[in-house]
Amino acid sequence: MTTSRPARVFVQLAAFAVGWILVQGITESLAGPLAMWVSRTIGEPVPLYPWTTLAGVLGGCWAGFHVVAPIGTPEMFGVRPWEQPRIATWLGLDASTWQWRRLGLGLALGTAAIGLTVVPLWMMGALRFEAVPALTDAPVGDSWGGAAVRLLVLLAPAALWEELAFRGFLHAVARDAAGAQVARWASSVAFGAVHIMNPGAGVRTTLIVMLAGWCLVRLREQAGVPAAWLAHLAWNWIMAAVLHVAVSGQPFSAPGYRTVLDGPAWLSGGSWGPEGGLMAALVLGGGAWLGWRRRGTHRAHEETIAAGTTAGLTAGPTAAGPTSSAFVRS
């Protein structure tokens, strides 16, 4: 039995959603009491939701990947079980994407992007720093370093689940169904849409988030999801821990000082943070343009990293594992 491609996409997305909800719910029920105990012990709440959401997304990826062929008949979608790629390769997480060079590239790009966004704002006087008096009832050891570590523990899983969901699973499913260009647009638009409910979101901020998603998906295609994750994390962590500004409209408490954004919101980003203003749009737009210029050079590598391997094999399994070119359509 062969199922149409739209049905295949629907089943994969539905399995992803169900797996996400079930695994996140189970994880919250199991880890909730432990988080409450830790919160009481250290005297401040421990954020659990980024980690339970990450667990849910991992569960959704597993469900969405394995539902392609095993349910129904072995040829449910014209793909036999042994022809399925490894899930890590399919999601852009294979061993080659964890090379130090690619991870360093992601960190460098994320750091450079936020630096190029905020330094011009500071030079124009649209961004300034001011001291904040220390709170007498602040937690013991509430220093810049302590806050930076707490923010890292909070933001690292949050950035990872977003990359797995949008640049990992959604990108892979969309590319399988309609090709690379549709995958880029689908993952970028969905990434922007999921931020609409954030405080201070609007048309301008949503479009800029979509532009950031486009840059991240190009990085995913050239270096893998881990590089995109570290670029995403560097961008968010520097804003929260170093600059002490809101991240996508969400403020974080940090001791010692704060950053004040002056001038019109369309320039500085306003309450959304510097990533919601003109400078961020120019930096991300420049990154998207450079990614497009490098497309020809990296085309073959993109197809290996971004698409992984899927349907279309006729030779069956080999000692080296399954490979395929039918999945790749740019």
Side-chain angles (χ1 to χ4, degrees):
M1 179 180 67
T2 301
T3 303
S4 65
R5 185 169 292 154
R8 173 181 180 172
V9 172
F10 175 79
V11 171
Q12 285 184 293
L13 294 178
F16 173 78
V18 172
W20 181 345
I21 293 170
L22 289 177
V23 173
Q24 182 169 351
I26 293 171
T27 305
E28 288 176 349
S29 64
L30 294 176
L34 176 61
M36 293 177 61
W37 177 80
V38 174
S39 298
R40 289 194 300 267
T41 302
I42 66 176
E44 60 178 304
V46 174
L48 186 61
Y49 66 90
W51 295 97
T52 58
T53 304
L54 175 58
V57 169
L58 288 170
C61 290
W62 185 92
F65 173 82
H66 285 87
V67 79
V68 176
I71 62 175
T73 63
E75 298 83 10
M76 180 174 180
F77 294 114
V79 184
R80 295 176 175 81
W82 58 81
E83 294 173 352
Q84 293 303 301
R86 293 180 299 108
I87 188 170
T89 301
W90 192 68
L91 291 173
L93 294 168
D94 57 271
S96 66
T97 65
W98 294 96
Q99 296 175 357
W100 287 109
R101 179 176 58 84
R102 293 177 181 171
L103 298 179
L105 174 65
L107 280 174
L109 289 176
T111 302
I114 190 60
L116 290 172
T117 298
V118 299
V119 169
L121 292 175
W122 173 74
M123 295 177 65
M124 291 185 294
L127 182 151
R128 58 184 172 84
F129 300 95
E130 61 181 33
V132 176
L135 299 176
T136 57
D137 58 347
V140 177
D142 187 27
S143 61
W144 182 89
V149 171
R150 289 197 299 273
L151 288 169
L152 182 63
V153 172
L154 174 70
L155 295 173
L160 183 54
W161 81 251
E162 288 186 352
E163 292 308 310
L164 286 173
F166 297 103
R167 261 69 66 180
F169 186 83
L170 181 58
H171 180 275
V173 171
R175 183 168 185 131
D176 187 16
Q181 195 68 6
V182 171
R184 293 166 192 147
W185 280 106
S187 58
S188 301
V189 171
F191 184 59
V194 81
H195 289 80
I196 290 177
M197 300 304 295
N198 286 25
V203 174
R204 183 188 71 254
T205 62
T206 301
L207 291 176
I208 294 176
V209 173
M210 291 179 184
L211 185 57
W214 184 273
C215 293
L216 288 169
V217 80
R218 296 299 295 171
L219 179 58
R220 177 259 202 260
E221 292 175 349
Q222 294 183 15
V225 165
W229 166 50
L230 290 180
H232 190 164
L233 175 59
W235 173 281
N236 287 352
W237 185 84
I238 289 173
M239 283 194 295
V242 178
L243 300 174
H244 295 182
V245 294
V247 179
S248 298
Q250 298 179 338
F252 296 93
S253 60
Y257 61 92
R258 66 176 179 176
T259 300
V260 178
L261 296 170
D262 292 324
W266 61 264
L267 175 64
S268 66
S271 62
W272 185 264
E275 60 182 339
L278 175 63
M279 293 310 304
L282 292 176
V283 170
L284 294 171
W289 179 78
L290 289 175
W292 178 81
R293 286 291 303 271
R294 292 170 63 87
R295 178 178 57 179
T297 303
H298 291 275
R299 184 182 182 89
H301 180 65
E302 290 172 12
E303 293 181 345
T304 301
I305 296 298
T309 55
T310 57
L313 297 183
T314 57
T318 66
T323 57
S324 174
S325 60
F327 184 60
V328 179
R329 290 182 301 277
S330 296

